[in-house]
Amino acid sequence: MSDTQHPSHHDRTPGLVVAVDGTSGSGKSSTCRAVAGRLGLAYLDTGAMYRAMTWWMLEHGVDVHDPAAVALRSGEATVVSGTDPAAPTIHVDGTDVSGPIRGEAVTGAVSPVATVKEVRERMVALQRAIIAEKTSTGPGIVVEGRDIGTVVLPDADVKIFLTASAEERARRRNDQNVASGLPDDYEAVLADVKRRDHLDSTRPVSP
């Protein structure tokens, strides 16, 4: 048989990469998981990785509003992200933190942690390693976040920006909170959505 009939591993076509960016509460996760499941692709929630790092900082008593302190400890946590769209997982130092990272404490602290240059550099390196593995050994991956199409994967095959009004995103997030047993407080959620929009759009690194 000729080489053209049996291409080597190095000659194979890389898997598909779909980069989906968007604002908090815009429906990125549900959309990306559905697309990945429909197309048989892996799935990576980069936001969960930043939340996992934030959880570790809080657990270790690091002042998340002190960039120097966060930068100093940013290399200590081992963050492992699962890529199954049907059951995505996130672990820190072997602990399943998929529940805790969605709590109020992490939600309120993730933006200042995610603005730290050293944190972003480490997370981007981890994300690119996962993406490289999934595109070299599988059909591809759907990646969601805030800077995937601009920083992490500027050459992605497909790039999408998904958003909605602050009011609609707050309604969706508040409904999720109520469904999980948290208080019904739309105005507080709306204020938090607007706060995160401002922090994420004005940060010096990957705004």
Side-chain angles (χ1 to χ4, degrees), residues 2-207:
S2 69
D3 287 342
T4 56
Q5 290 173 294
H6 292 285
S8 70
H9 171 76
H10 297 291
D11 294 331
R12 65 169 292 171
T13 302
L16 174 69
V17 176
V18 179
V20 181
D21 292 307
T23 49
S24 173
S26 58
K28 296 190 302 295
S29 296
S30 55
T31 300
C32 290
R33 290 178 63 182
V35 168
R38 181 74 175 269
L39 299 180
L41 305 178
Y43 160 74
L44 180 61
D45 178 359
T46 64
M49 299 173 74
Y50 287 103
R51 283 176 172 270
M53 180 65 76
T54 302
W55 176 88
W56 187 93
M57 293 290 173
L58 294 173
E59 285 291 298
H60 288 78
V62 179
D63 181 358
V64 298
H65 298 288
D66 182 347
V70 172
L72 184 65
R73 305 292 300 275
S74 62
E76 297 181 31
T78 300
V79 178
V80 178
S81 183
T83 57
D84 180 354
T89 58
I90 186 78
H91 289 78
V92 181
D93 296 341
T95 299
D96 181 355
V97 295
S98 55
I101 65 170
R102 303 299 174 182
E104 292 183 16
V106 171
T107 297
V110 65
S111 287
V113 172
T115 65
V116 176
K117 177 176 177 287
E118 289 78 3
V119 170
R120 297 203 75 83
E121 288 177 345
R122 180 155 187 244
M123 292 297 99
V124 168
L126 287 173
Q127 291 155 17
R128 286 175 174 165
I130 293 170
I131 294 161
E133 176 191 357
K134 295 303 174 182
T135 54
S136 64
T137 63
I141 189 168
V142 178
V143 187
E144 67 154 292
R146 304 296 182 90
D147 61 350
I148 310 305
T150 55
V151 176
V152 182
L153 294 168
D155 297 323
D157 301 294
V158 181
K159 295 199 284 188
I160 297 168
F161 187 84
L162 185 64
T163 190
S165 69
E167 290 74 17
E168 175 61 20
R169 290 183 284 128
R171 184 194 65 76
R172 286 168 47 87
R173 185 59 53 82
N174 190 57
D175 288 347
Q176 292 172 353
N177 289 346
V178 172
S180 62
L182 295 175
D184 183 351
D185 194 345
Y186 169 80
E187 292 301 329
V189 174
L190 177 60
D192 185 64
V193 165
K194 291 181 177 180
R195 178 187 65 84
R196 289 193 62 191
D197 282 354
H198 175 73
L199 288 173
D200 291 341
S201 63
T202 58
R203 67 191 181 206
V205 182
S206 300

